[in-house]
Amino acid sequence: MTVTEQAPTALVGPVDVDQAIAWITERLRTKSPEQVITIGERTGWWSADLVEWVFDGGNGEPPTATSPAPVAPTVREDQEPADRGVVEPAAQPPTPASLAAQPRAIEPMTSEQAAAEVARVQAAHAAPPIWEQPAADVEPQRPMAGSAYVTVLQGRELGVDRSYQRPLDQPRVKRMAENWDPRMVGTIDVSDRGEGAGPIRYAVINGQHRAAAAAAASPVGADVWLACTVHEGLTVADEARLMHEMDRATKKLTGFDQWRARRGAGDVVVLEVEAIAGLHGLRVGPEPTDGTLRSYGAAEKLLKVGGRDLLDATLAVLSAAYAKAQAGYQAPLLTAVGQVLHRNPGLDVDRLVTALASNRPEQLRATATALREAEGGPLNQLMARAVAGAYNRTQGSGPRIVSGR
């Protein structure tokens, strides 16, 4: 990988969506969307869905499955200038010990044990809430490493060790709390550091934002009960390694994963888009193959803008011009043809089909890219202007499209 393909080296840490969008936009000035998608697939900074969203003009919310991107690569400070094209690989932490679930045996509690448990809960209630607790200063004695069990704990019993945990993102917690769904909480992974572990006994390894949002959304605040997977016998270093492994193993939902889930839930918009696509011999899916409509997000937007008739007419025009060629149904072209049809109800559809058939999708993209370099503006509108220009240059009846509208 060359230096020109790296993220700016001054940016260190997780890349947010705005940074990824800025990098995509910059690269689209000199590279084709396909090249930018290839860079994202190789580096992990962004997904094909986010590139298409940027090229399509950035209408609506960006694909959520793309954010945040992985840590930006850095260049070693001790490298000579001639060597600064080499990316220093990140050190891989050792794999943590297996954490197979081991349920606890349930035994009757003596009166002494009950009194001790009451004292423990009272002490936990007096502790600071999760977002204020500091890191432990001592390394307590621990049970045997590798054991884990599931139980319920109150939010105020949990703490966060900032020596390895990321800072709490308060705006994210607020968004989660405002749209709180208890079914989506899952279990919080915590490390039981044992009695006498200082201000933190149960250190959150994975799920600090869910725990904080649950407390914010609950009428009882930090007294909210949370299902927790409790890991025993871990050192602070073990906790940090386990957090890293969990983050790395967590697979974000892709755009099509979300689409498929909506389909399974009976989402009427998803079912309508797929039904209309089927009328033109297309199937909705993520594969870059002929006969597959990958731009399901753009199709959904057209359905919302102009209803079933607009999406049906758009797919009919593209099908007549490009048959089932995959390139004919990419999001920018699908959106552009839909815009032209929606804004110009009196145009000659046969003339539009002829104009498109005389210009490969790649040619129309190149025209839109040139317009962007010369004039700027949203890419979906520039693509619509390229389609309108091809229409105006084609012989046929019907009115010309004025100013690409």
Side-chain angles (χ1 to χ4, degrees):
M1 185 185 302
T2 63
V3 172
T4 57
E5 294 175 345
Q6 295 180 30
T9 56
L11 295 172
V12 179
V15 179
D16 61 25
V17 176
D18 291 338
Q19 289 174 327
I21 290 172
W23 295 348
I24 291 170
T25 302
E26 180 62 27
R27 281 168 173 75
L28 283 174
R29 296 184 183 280
T30 57
K31 300 179 184 294
S32 70
E34 290 76 14
Q35 290 173 316
V36 178
I37 288 172
T38 299
I39 293 173
E41 290 174 345
R42 183 170 66 249
T43 62
W45 297 335
W46 52 72
S47 68
D49 286 342
L50 188 58
V51 175
E52 291 289 358
W53 179 84
V54 174
F55 191 88
D56 191 29
N59 293 323
E61 292 296 322
T64 57
T66 63
S67 62
V71 174
T74 58
V75 178
R76 292 195 321 231
E77 291 298 328
D78 60 344
Q79 286 177 305
E80 293 298 324
D83 298 326
R84 288 183 177 265
V86 180
V87 176
E88 182 70 13
Q92 295 297 320
T95 304
S98 172
L99 297 170
Q102 299 180 10
R104 288 173 145 184
I106 300 176
E107 299 178 356
M109 182 178 289
T110 66
S111 59
E112 291 80 5
Q113 290 172 326
E117 181 66 12
V118 169
R120 183 189 69 81
V121 172
Q122 289 175 339
H125 285 189
I130 179 175
W131 46 88
E132 295 178 0
Q133 294 182 0
D137 296 325
V138 296
E139 189 68 35
Q141 294 294 320
R142 303 172 183 280
M144 182 181 298
S147 60
Y149 62 93
V150 177
T151 188
V152 290
L153 298 170
Q154 286 186 294
R156 67 174 60 257
E157 297 183 80
L158 311 182
V160 175
D161 189 334
R162 295 298 175 200
S163 68
Y164 65 84
Q165 272 285 7
R166 71 198 71 178
L168 192 71
D169 184 343
Q170 291 289 0
R172 178 184 174 190
V173 170
K174 181 180 179 181
R175 290 193 301 270
M176 293 172 66
E178 289 172 349
N179 301 282
W180 189 248
D181 185 347
R183 298 170 300 176
M184 305 300 292
V185 182
T187 61
I188 310 300
D189 285 273
V190 303
S191 171
D192 183 356
R193 294 180 168 184
E195 296 285 354
I200 300 177
R201 173 171 179 177
Y202 297 103
V204 176
I205 298 172
N206 182 274
Q208 65 162 326
H209 288 91
R210 284 177 287 146
S218 172
V220 298
D223 288 331
V224 63
W225 290 95
L226 298 167
C228 297
T229 298
V230 181
H231 303 271
E232 295 182 311
L234 304 181
T235 65
V236 174
D238 292 335
E239 293 171 7
R241 279 191 289 268
L242 183 55
M243 173 193 166
H244 173 77
E245 289 298 321
M246 287 181 171
D247 279 352
R248 192 171 66 171
T250 301
K251 186 177 185 301
K252 305 296 184 182
L253 287 179
T254 66
F256 188 70
D257 288 337
Q258 297 178 49
W259 183 269
R260 181 162 41 205
R262 291 172 61 191
R263 178 204 294 158
D267 188 305
V268 293
V269 173
V270 169
L271 297 179
E272 185 80 346
V273 169
E274 296 200 346
I276 296 171
L279 294 176
H280 301 281
L282 302 170
R283 61 175 292 275
V284 175
E287 302 85 6
T289 56
D290 292 347
T292 300
L293 180 63
R294 298 179 65 201
S295 52
Y296 41 84
E300 180 177 358
K301 292 176 185 176
L302 290 183
L303 185 67
K304 292 179 178 179
V305 168
R308 179 186 178 92
D309 290 343
L310 178 60
L311 179 58
D312 185 32
T314 302
L315 293 179
V317 167
L318 292 172
S319 178
Y322 302 118
K324 295 184 180 180
Q326 188 269 329
Y329 299 93
Q330 293 183 4
L333 184 55
L334 179 69
T335 301
V337 172
Q339 287 181 359
V340 168
L341 289 170
H342 184 61
R343 296 170 180 171
N344 302 275
L347 62 72
D348 182 349
V349 174
D350 291 336
R351 180 178 174 183
L352 179 59
V353 170
T354 301
L356 292 173
S358 302
N359 292 269
R360 298 194 314 275
E362 296 82 2
Q363 291 175 299
L364 295 169
R365 275 200 170 202
T367 301
T369 300
L371 287 170
R372 181 195 59 206
E373 292 292 337
E375 305 175 17
L379 289 171
N380 62 327
Q381 295 181 15
L382 299 176
M383 195 72 167
R385 286 179 57 185
V387 171
Y391 172 88
N392 287 337
R393 292 191 299 271
T394 302
Q395 296 295 322
S397 60
R400 287 173 56 86
I401 299 174
V402 180
S403 300
R405 292 169 27 185

